Amino acid sequence: MVTVKDVEHIAKLARLEFSEEEKQKFTHQLNRILEYVEKLNQLDTATVEPLSHVIDLQNRMRDDVVRPGLTAEEALMNAPAKTDKFFKVPKTVKGEEGG
Amino acid sequence: MSQHRPYEPVIGLEVHAQLLTRSKAFCSCSTEFGNDPNSNVCPVCLGLPGVLPVLNARVVEFVIRMGLATHCTIARKSVFARKNYFYPDLPKGYQISQYEDPICTDGFVEIELEDGSKKNIGITRIHMEEDAGKSIHDLDVDTLVDVNRCGVPLIEIVSKPDLRSPHEAYQYLSAMKQIVTYLGICDGNMEEGSLRCDANVSVRPVGSVTLGTKTELKNLNSFRFVEKALQYEINRQIALLESGGQVVQETLLWNPDQGVAIPMRSKEEAHDYRYFPEPDLVPVLVPEEQIESVRKTLPEFPMARRDRYIAEYSLPKYDADILTESRDLAEYFEATVRALKRRNPETAKMASNWTMTDVLRVVRERHIEIRDFPIQPERLAGMIDLIADGTISSKIAKDLFEEMLASGDHPGIIVKAKGLVQVSDEGAIERAVAEVLEKNPEQVLKYKSGKHQVFGYFVGETMKIMKGKANPKLVNDILKKKLES
Ligand SMILES: [Zn+2]
């Protein structure tokens, strides 16, 4: 069961803000989706390999060769805030990164 | 009460190594370091909508090398996953990594303990992932972001909690550095961030088999303070437990300037990365033939090489340790030994001495790499041959070495051109010795009254007359004979 608390948690992770009304609505919708998917549990999948990709392709790779990309000017062209060389974002505290 | 029961630390390390590929992991941008900000970028690593990543084949080759070098099982099929978190230096909002199906699992690395014994440290997994960009906090009121490093390939090597002291952790990290540099997959430079280290630390009463609550210690990014930071955290946890408190599971950031570990602002969701298989990258299949062909390219590893130097060349362990520290140095030394005309423990030791002292000194003074050292191993061997067959003295060899550095000429040519050939003509040496003794009657009396330390003075004076070219052994013998007659 998805609760309003779960929705708030996921919203926070996704940096989204919802009204109380929206939270109720999404809680209901998410539960409906999970109920629907739950149907799959009626099947015996013990001998089926988990599927991570729907297309049957493997090992699509490129050689380790450098090709020109964009210039800094092009890269920064659509940035909402920038200096002449950097993207500019609101101050973040050092050491908060994940990874 | 158990307050006097000693505690033991339990440490596991997560090491990130930046791979020495030319292009990034999933796009063709350059990985070159030090370019203008945001100049090694393209729509893929900028995380623009509608782009598709394509895996760099060399990343797979490099991680297989690392896996084989650390005795891991290489997965025949492995899958990439998205690790989701928001941070400005991660434009896509997720990092491409591996989660459930890493490419390498269950290996080990051998380290050496302080008493000289060896210990295997387990490796849980090694996986491929991409680096994030760089946030700069102190150039502007806002945070500035450079995406150049974004998408540069990394491998993460996760150890088992097998380390029992900060020193063992240091040894493990040194072994990691040695392996990645021997393999040529990473430059191993911690200070520049090519090798990074986080630690999981807990303590427990000695004899206990359960694990205590662990903390994660981040930012151990220099060999200089890895041990210090770990010791700090171990002491903190023990003090906490002994005063009746409890360790809280949290992430701490080591601050090298203040010498303390500061808790990162705790966020429960910080570790909620909601991994899921990366739909844009197909699974990586590694056939047995590929594993075998990579295995054939593996170099001989430091510890094996060191043991061989001791067995084959009768070198002291001290020499063997230094010579095998880097692959380039080891290969320089071996090429020198191979080129020797007379190969025996004595000449091998000479090759070792010259490599460890003179070659390394010049390399350090000039800030160059061994491979750029101007005297080729064959030339150094030629010089050692000249010492070994008595053509020149070790003292003259020092000058010859400098000449070779300057001109790059063959030692035999320099010796002839500069007249450096050692004089082994007994008659000439006897005449010089006689002259020295005649000129210094007081010193001779001193010697005869038992003050044997003046002997060195006679040697020096004789050498002066012989312009440093006399065979030192003959000088010693003749002096002794004359003084004691
Ligand atoms: Zn790119």
Side-chain angles (χ1 to χ4, degrees):
Chain A
M1 261 297 270
V2 174
T3 63
V4 173
K5 264 209 145 53
D6 294 323
V7 171
E8 284 171 347
H9 177 62
I10 299 162
K12 197 173 173 191
L13 290 173
R15 304 289 191 272
L16 294 172
E17 229 177 320
F18 295 129
S19 66
E20 282 310 311
E21 202 180 314
E22 284 171 315
K23 286 180 199 168
Q24 294 294 341
K25 187 169 117 193
F26 292 142
T27 306
H28 174 71
Q29 287 181 342
L30 284 171
N31 275 315
R32 286 290 308 278
I33 294 166
L34 288 179
E35 270 163 40
Y36 176 69
V37 176
E38 189 68 17
K39 273 202 173 138
L40 288 176
N41 280 345
Q42 293 167 9
L43 294 172
D44 179 11
T45 55
T47 58
V48 180
E49 216 190 306
L51 178 84
S52 58
H53 296 78
V54 285
I55 32 170
D56 192 23
L57 279 178
Q58 296 99 15
N59 285 0
R60 290 303 151 118
M61 297 185 208
R62 30 169 280 270
D63 289 337
D64 184 22
V65 176
V66 174
R67 289 207 182 81
L70 301 173
T71 62
E73 196 183 26
E74 286 167 327
L76 294 164
M77 201 156 59
N78 296 322
K82 59 190 168 187
T83 70
D84 58 336
K85 288 192 170 134
F86 291 98
F87 292 95
K88 237 174 161 177
V89 295
K91 193 92 180 166
T92 45
V93 183
K94 205 180 175 183
E96 293 257 302
E97 52 249 88
Chain B
M1 287 299 285
S2 61
Q3 66 216 49
H4 294 300
R5 227 175 349 149
Y7 287 88
E8 71 168 358
V10 177
I11 304 164
L13 294 186
E14 288 168 15
V15 174
H16 284 90
Q18 187 180 309
L19 299 181
L20 285 171
T21 56
R22 290 190 192 91
S23 65
K24 292 186 180 182
F26 304 111
C27 62
S28 304
C29 291
S30 168
T31 54
E32 209 175 311
F33 184 75
N35 285 355
D36 275 351
N38 296 303
S39 62
N40 295 347
V41 296
C42 74
V44 174
C45 52
L46 281 167
L48 299 185
V51 297
L52 283 173
V54 185
L55 178 59
N56 182 342
R58 184 156 291 161
V59 173
V60 179
E61 184 202 319
F62 280 6
V63 73
I64 295 174
R65 271 198 213 174
M66 188 63 185
L68 291 175
T70 53
H71 315 279
C72 284
T73 304
I74 311 297
R76 304 298 291 275
K77 178 184 179 183
S78 84
V79 171
F80 284 100
R82 290 188 182 180
K83 177 179 179 175
N84 299 281
Y85 66 92
F86 282 112
Y87 201 73
D89 60 22
L90 190 72
K92 295 196 297 296
Y94 58 85
Q95 177 192 27
I96 300 177
S97 181
Q98 294 195 292
Y99 188 57
E100 282 178 331
D101 301 299
I103 188 157
C104 307
T105 51
D106 201 21
F108 67 89
V109 164
E110 193 177 57
I111 64 164
E112 196 172 83
L113 305 182
E114 267 157 313
D115 63 3
S117 64
K118 288 169 183 176
K119 176 178 176 180
N120 285 345
I121 305 301
I123 306 258
T124 307
R125 57 185 281 153
I126 303 175
H127 67 250
M128 303 174 269
E129 59 182 35
E130 59 175 340
D131 208 347
K134 205 166 104 193
S135 303
I136 299 150
H137 304 283
D138 46 14
L139 273 188
D140 196 287
V141 284
D142 293 315
T143 292
L144 303 180
V145 179
D146 174 7
V147 184
N148 278 355
R149 221 179 50 193
C150 211
V152 168
L154 303 175
I155 52 172
E156 180 174 341
I157 306 136
V158 182
S159 89
K160 293 195 174 125
D162 287 349
L163 301 158
R164 289 291 172 273
S165 71
H167 183 71
E168 285 186 25
Y170 178 85
Q171 291 296 88
Y172 171 83
L173 209 51
S174 305
M176 278 295 149
K177 175 181 170 152
Q178 220 173 28
I179 294 169
V180 294
T181 52
Y182 259 71
L183 292 172
I185 63 172
C186 169
D187 67 23
N189 192 327
M190 275 197 99
E191 276 68 20
E192 280 175 17
S194 335
L195 202 64
R196 300 166 219 164
C197 177
D198 301 329
N200 289 307
V201 185
S202 63
V203 298
R204 64 183 176 192
V206 169
S208 165
V209 286
T210 53
L211 293 171
T213 306
K214 67 176 180 187
T215 57
E216 192 183 358
L217 195 52
K218 280 184 170 266
N219 201 30
L220 304 181
N221 293 338
S222 163
F223 275 99
R224 277 178 297 126
F225 52 69
V226 162
E227 279 178 275
K228 199 178 159 203
L230 287 168
Q231 196 57 59
Y232 170 91
E233 177 55 11
I234 292 161
N235 292 347
R236 187 188 73 87
Q237 291 189 12
I238 292 175
L240 205 59
L241 294 175
E242 286 191 333
S243 62
Q246 275 187 328
V247 175
V248 182
Q249 182 158 358
E250 62 183 341
T251 302
L252 303 156
L253 197 65
W254 176 249
N255 182 321
D257 302 326
Q258 295 169 24
V260 293
I262 299 156
M264 282 169 68
R265 234 194 295 163
S266 169
K267 293 184 295 180
E268 290 117 60
E269 68 271 22
H271 284 285
D272 195 346
Y273 293 125
R274 293 146 296 144
Y275 286 95
F276 62 87
E278 164 60 280
D280 290 345
L281 286 162
V282 296
V284 177
L285 299 194
V286 183
E288 193 62 38
E289 308 84 73
Q290 189 182 3
I291 298 175
E292 287 318 307
S293 78
V294 173
R295 199 191 298 278
K296 285 198 192 95
T297 67
L298 293 183
E300 183 186 21
F301 284 103
M303 281 216 203
R305 204 177 275 231
R306 192 195 66 188
D307 294 346
R308 183 166 61 78
Y309 287 4
I310 295 170
E312 202 171 305
Y313 306 134
S314 310
L315 286 187
K317 181 174 171 298
Y318 174 84
D319 292 39
D321 271 336
I322 291 181
L323 293 170
T324 53
E325 219 155 76
S326 85
R327 186 175 166 186
D328 282 350
L329 187 66
E331 270 159 20
Y332 183 91
F333 165 73
E334 281 186 50
T336 305
V337 172
R338 266 198 308 276
L340 286 170
K341 276 208 199 88
R342 262 185 280 178
R343 216 173 308 152
N344 55 43
E346 200 185 325
T347 53
K349 176 66 178 132
M350 282 160 80
S352 164
N353 287 348
W354 283 94
T355 310
M356 286 194 307
T357 53
D358 301 86
V359 175
L360 274 188
R361 170 180 56 81
V362 175
V363 164
R364 285 191 191 121
E365 277 169 9
R366 299 189 179 182
H367 303 286
I368 54 172
E369 300 289 327
I370 300 279
R371 64 178 77 97
D372 301 322
F373 183 69
I375 302 175
Q376 296 304 305
E378 297 72 29
R379 299 262 158 108
L380 185 68
M383 188 189 85
I384 293 167
D385 284 333
L386 293 175
I387 306 171
D389 69 15
T391 308
I392 58 170
S393 66
S394 311
K395 193 167 169 299
I396 288 174
K398 294 277 171 195
D399 298 332
L400 176 57
F401 185 82
E402 296 303 321
E403 288 286 339
M404 286 160 71
L405 262 183
S407 70
D409 275 344
H410 192 278
I413 294 171
I414 300 172
V415 165
K416 283 217 182 81
K418 302 246 168 183
L420 297 175
V421 176
Q422 174 167 269
V423 176
S424 297
D425 171 353
E426 291 191 30
I429 298 173
E430 269 179 20
R431 281 195 294 281
V433 167
E435 189 184 331
V436 169
L437 298 185
E438 211 173 303
K439 268 192 200 158
N440 298 283
E442 279 172 38
Q443 310 281 6
V444 173
L445 277 178
K446 262 192 197 169
Y447 184 89
K448 294 203 165 170
S449 69
K451 293 196 171 116
H452 286 182
Q453 56 269 43
V454 295
F455 190 77
Y457 171 79
F458 295 132
V459 174
E461 290 301 298
T462 309
M463 278 296 189
K464 248 187 230 167
I465 294 174
M466 302 295 298
K467 299 198 168 64
K469 291 182 208 162
N471 179 327
K473 190 173 175 306
L474 280 178
V475 171
N476 275 323
D477 291 350
I478 292 170
L479 263 170
K480 273 227 173 80
K481 203 173 73 196
K482 296 267 172 184
L483 282 164
E484 265 146 44
S485 63

